[in-house]
Amino acid sequence: MSSSDLVAVAQAMVAEGKGILAIDESMGTIGKRFKSVGIENNEDNRRAYREMLLTTPGLGDHISGAILFDETLRQSTADGTPFVQVMQDAGVLPGIKVDTGAHPMAGHSGEKITEGLDGLRGRLEEYRGLGARFAKWRAVITIGENIPTASCVDANAHALARYAALCQEADIVPMVEPEVLMDGTHGLDESFEVTEATLRALFNQLYDHNVLLEGAILKASMVISGSDAEDRAGVGEVAEATVQCLLNAVPAALAGVVFLSGGQSDQEATAHLDAMNRLGDLPWPLSFSYGRALQAPSLALWGENVSANVAAAQNKLAHRARMNGLAAMGQYDTSLEAA
């Protein structure tokens, strides 16, 4: 893939009215979600669940790509059709999570560093051969007493940049995700300050590593009050703060920004995205890359009866995808939820 191909894929990921479905949960995370609906966490159930999501009729109408876990990229439907083929037929780009998780950072209590660079060049080459067109790497930044430290922010930014450079070498579009966690009692101002510092560090490193920004996507956390804050900011405040933070720190050359939901409710995540897209012309498209905020209604219904409720669960996913597709264009309205 040439640089122009990387740019084309990145632009397709943030095409108007479309966003990314994140179904790249680790074994542990999918296990917790299955447990919440009484489903055993085994390979057959994981395959059946991902098949239900990926075979949703009209999925490509509002979903441009889906981030998969290593196991899922290699799996097929019950009739033997590879998931990658199902996605390609639906106009959905296959993506792959390539980091190996966030681990405690030595010498930095309460902070984490994401691992997975060892052997990444070879894994990316294999994933490209399996059909992956983009990849994702998630770093975790925690707000707390005397954290995050500059050391933690810089170390994670450096790892994200090394990953991104390796992706583009392998003809894969990198999605860089420096998530500033919602967990905590911090207010909107502190969230803004930490998010801006994190993004500035990230783009400095991406520049130093010669990453083509036009062929890369930022997966960002919103500037939002901590989940345990006493007085949480409203939708308009979150939208204005997030957009201003991006304008301060994200180069206009970047292909696009997709947001993670980060613990927000389904409709809250949609409302925030819509409010941002009503603030006027911006240098880059703002869209979504939601996991739980897209899947939760489908999982709850599917879990009640995994054979009988497939179509109904798919309708739930199609609805949430449509709501977020409208939000990505600033055309969402809560009255549409009833429909």
Side-chain angles (χ1 to χ4, degrees):
M1 199 191 303
S2 65
S3 60
S4 61
D5 292 327
L6 287 169
V7 172
V9 170
Q11 289 176 345
M13 291 169 66
V14 288
E16 186 176 41
K18 295 186 179 185
I20 307 292
L21 171 64
I23 53 172
D24 59 327
E25 300 90 354
S26 66
M27 296 295 189
T29 300
I30 195 68
K32 291 176 185 175
R33 293 187 178 169
F34 277 5
K35 185 176 181 180
S36 72
V37 295
I39 298 294
E40 183 182 351
N41 182 20
N42 58 46
E43 184 176 354
D44 285 343
N45 284 338
R46 291 191 299 270
R47 190 208 58 74
Y49 176 60
R50 267 73 182 250
E51 176 176 353
M52 180 273 291
L53 296 172
L54 293 173
T55 58
T56 294
L59 185 65
D61 293 348
H62 302 289
I63 298 296
S64 60
I67 313 168
L68 309 179
F69 191 61
D70 179 276
E71 175 185 67
T72 315
L73 184 67
R74 305 170 190 276
Q75 287 177 326
S76 301
T77 62
D79 68 7
T81 306
F83 282 162
V84 168
Q85 185 64 53
V86 170
M87 295 171 70
Q88 291 170 343
D89 291 346
V92 177
L93 293 163
I96 181 70
K97 164 190 162 74
V98 300
D99 67 73
T100 57
H103 301 270
M105 185 173 175
H108 290 74
S109 178
E111 297 190 288
K112 293 185 176 183
I113 181 73
T114 299
E115 299 179 357
L117 288 170
D118 288 352
L120 181 57
R121 176 178 271 123
R123 286 188 287 126
L124 286 169
E125 183 178 352
E126 181 189 13
Y127 289 144
R128 187 66 183 86
L130 290 170
R133 304 299 301 277
F134 71 96
K136 190 203 81 169
W137 179 290
R138 173 177 177 258
V140 174
I141 306 297
T142 304
I143 299 178
E145 187 174 355
N146 299 320
I147 59 172
T149 61
S151 298
C152 176
V153 171
D154 289 344
N156 276 294
H158 183 260
L160 278 163
R162 288 183 61 194
Y163 140 81
L166 285 165
C167 280
Q168 292 188 339
E169 177 189 83
D171 297 332
I172 288 175
V173 171
M175 179 185 285
V176 289
E177 180 183 357
E179 180 178 1
V180 177
L181 295 178
M182 266 180 69
D183 304 342
T185 59
H186 54 275
L188 195 68
D189 289 347
E190 190 170 4
S191 175
F192 187 105
E193 180 182 344
V194 171
T195 303
E196 182 179 4
T198 299
L199 291 174
R200 286 182 181 275
L202 170 62
F203 284 99
N204 283 338
Q205 288 289 343
L206 291 174
Y207 178 82
D208 286 347
H209 283 77
N210 297 320
V211 172
L212 179 71
L213 296 186
E214 294 89 342
I217 298 290
L218 170 67
K219 181 166 179 174
S221 44
M222 298 178 193
V223 175
I224 195 167
S225 310
S227 52
D228 296 323
E230 290 185 10
D231 185 20
R232 302 196 72 222
V235 170
E237 293 175 289
V238 168
E240 290 179 6
T242 302
V243 167
Q244 188 59 56
C245 187
L246 294 175
L247 289 170
N248 288 1
V250 178
L254 187 74
V257 179
V258 294
F259 290 100
L260 56 94
S261 51
Q264 300 175 55
S265 70
D266 309 341
Q267 293 188 31
E268 184 183 18
T270 306
H272 282 141
L273 177 62
D274 178 71
M276 288 181 223
N277 278 299
R278 292 177 183 267
L279 292 176
D281 292 334
L282 296 167
W284 359 250
L286 300 183
S287 192
F288 59 94
S289 177
Y290 296 159
R292 192 207 51 75
L294 277 171
Q295 294 181 54
S298 299
L299 175 61
L301 193 54
W302 182 79
E304 292 176 7
N305 191 321
V306 300
S307 56
N309 287 357
V310 169
Q314 290 176 330
N315 286 338
K316 292 284 189 183
L317 174 60
H319 173 73
R320 287 258 51 85
R322 177 171 173 263
M323 293 300 98
N324 285 297
L326 291 170
M329 298 185 290
Q331 297 174 9
Y332 169 75
D333 190 283
T334 52
S335 65
L336 297 168
E337 295 288 358

